[in-house]
Amino acid sequence: MGNTEVEYFVKQMESNLNRAYQGTIVLTHFLDEQQQQQIKEMNRMDVNITMEGGFKDCERKRTLFYPEGLKNLSYKIKVFQICYNSRYLNLHHRKVLGALLSLGIKRESIGDIVFIEDKVYFACTEEISAYIVASFKTIGGVPIELMEEKEVLTAKKELREESHIVSSMRLDVILASAYKLSRTDATTMISDGDVQLNHKVCLNTSKIVSESDIISVRHKGRVYVGAQGGKTKSGRLVIKLGFLV
């Protein structure tokens, strides 16, 4: 999000906090991890804030703001399995998301899209679920069916791991190596606010990255920083980087 978008979002969430303090239950649409982090940083002791996304270990979640003392509130999330003939259709995240958005649905109404073995699932807001069931009949011209999933599944991340040799653990160095960029291009992307470190925009090109950190790059995806594997004879570092499959 740009600075203006971030400021608008923060004001919205501060308003939600105040409404909850005054006794109102507020439920957001699905939020990404950067937005979730921003909410956690503005937490107030006199208001409850909880998050769920329909899957265990999911990324996109709805947030509830509510007064002290209330329990068992609903996040109003539906999870569906997409049933299809794999002989005629090869599904991946972008294809599923594109098909859903082509129905006129806003991105904020869709949660995680999860692949578990040979099955595909997605979460959506309960408010839009009836429309999706009535309208989501094909992907790429191939018929599909939706089956509501009642069990809470785990959104496992399947990573492709690569070894990289780098001169240091600076953010611009890791970014350049991960995406085969020049240092200049990596520095520009960081300076433009296109790079997040652990779900927060990082403008410091020389920021030192650590094991288990997550680097998110606008329009390029996400890199999971793994363990260091020693040094080469020339003193360069060998590290593991994980990419979502």
Side-chain angles (χ1 to χ4, degrees):
M1 294 191 294
N3 290 336
T4 303
E5 292 175 292
V6 170
E7 291 171 3
Y8 178 70
F9 175 78
V10 170
K11 287 181 179 179
Q12 279 187 314
M13 297 305 110
E14 288 176 343
S15 174
N16 289 344
L17 281 169
N18 291 329
R19 291 170 62 194
Y21 176 70
Q22 295 166 7
T24 300
I25 300 170
V26 182
L27 176 63
T28 71
H29 48 68
F30 283 100
L31 305 178
D32 62 31
E33 290 171 304
Q34 180 187 7
Q35 294 169 323
Q36 294 168 35
Q37 183 62 36
Q38 288 166 337
I39 290 174
K40 291 174 183 176
E41 291 175 359
M42 63 176 70
N43 203 349
R44 278 173 41 171
M45 298 300 294
D46 49 8
V47 174
N48 286 316
I49 302 176
T50 54
M51 303 178 182
E52 292 288 346
F55 300 98
K56 293 179 183 178
D57 300 330
C58 60
E59 295 181 0
R60 299 177 64 83
K61 298 178 181 178
R62 302 191 80 173
T63 299
L64 270 170
F65 298 82
Y66 56 97
E68 291 287 332
L70 298 183
K71 297 180 180 179
N72 301 320
L73 300 178
S74 173
Y75 294 89
K76 296 184 178 179
I77 296 171
K78 294 282 189 180
V79 173
F80 293 99
Q81 179 188 346
I82 302 175
C83 302
Y84 64 101
N85 191 329
S86 59
R87 292 173 58 190
Y88 305 106
L89 187 61
N90 179 29
L91 291 185
H92 50 78
H93 186 281
R94 185 174 296 179
K95 185 173 247 182
V96 174
L97 180 59
L100 284 164
L101 297 183
S102 72
L103 301 175
I105 297 169
K106 293 183 178 180
R107 181 65 180 96
E108 62 195 30
S109 296
I110 306 298
D112 279 20
I113 297 169
V114 175
F115 292 76
I116 301 176
E117 296 178 352
D118 59 345
K119 296 179 180 179
V120 184
Y121 304 86
F122 69 91
C124 67
T125 61
E126 186 177 286
E127 297 90 329
I128 202 72
S129 61
Y131 173 74
I132 289 179
V133 170
S135 306
F136 197 25
K137 301 294 186 182
T138 64
I139 298 179
V142 178
I144 64 167
E145 292 183 2
L146 298 182
M147 182 169 62
E148 186 175 351
E149 178 60 53
K150 299 293 187 180
E151 182 182 352
V152 179
L153 305 172
T154 300
K156 295 181 179 179
K157 296 180 179 70
E158 186 178 351
L159 298 180
R160 182 187 78 254
E161 198 172 64
E162 298 179 358
S163 291
H164 286 247
I165 298 174
V166 295
S167 59
S168 75
M169 294 299 290
R170 285 172 49 123
L171 178 59
D172 56 350
V173 172
I174 302 300
L175 182 62
S177 181
Y179 290 106
K180 298 177 175 59
L181 303 171
S182 68
R183 283 282 292 279
T184 300
D185 287 342
T187 298
T188 299
M189 293 180 72
I190 296 168
S191 300
D192 288 348
D194 292 334
V195 179
Q196 296 176 25
L197 182 62
N198 298 324
H199 315 304
K200 296 178 68 174
V201 172
C202 182
L203 302 176
N204 183 359
T205 59
S206 61
K207 176 74 174 178
I208 299 301
V209 176
S210 303
E211 182 180 342
S212 300
D213 280 350
I214 302 171
I215 303 171
S216 304
V217 187
R218 185 175 297 172
H219 305 311
K220 286 187 175 293
R222 184 172 295 176
V223 179
Y224 295 82
V225 181
Q228 294 188 31
K231 295 183 178 181
T232 65
K233 291 181 179 179
S234 61
R236 292 165 66 85
L237 303 173
V238 181
I239 63 169
K240 296 286 186 181
L241 297 179
F243 301 82
L244 286 174
V245 175

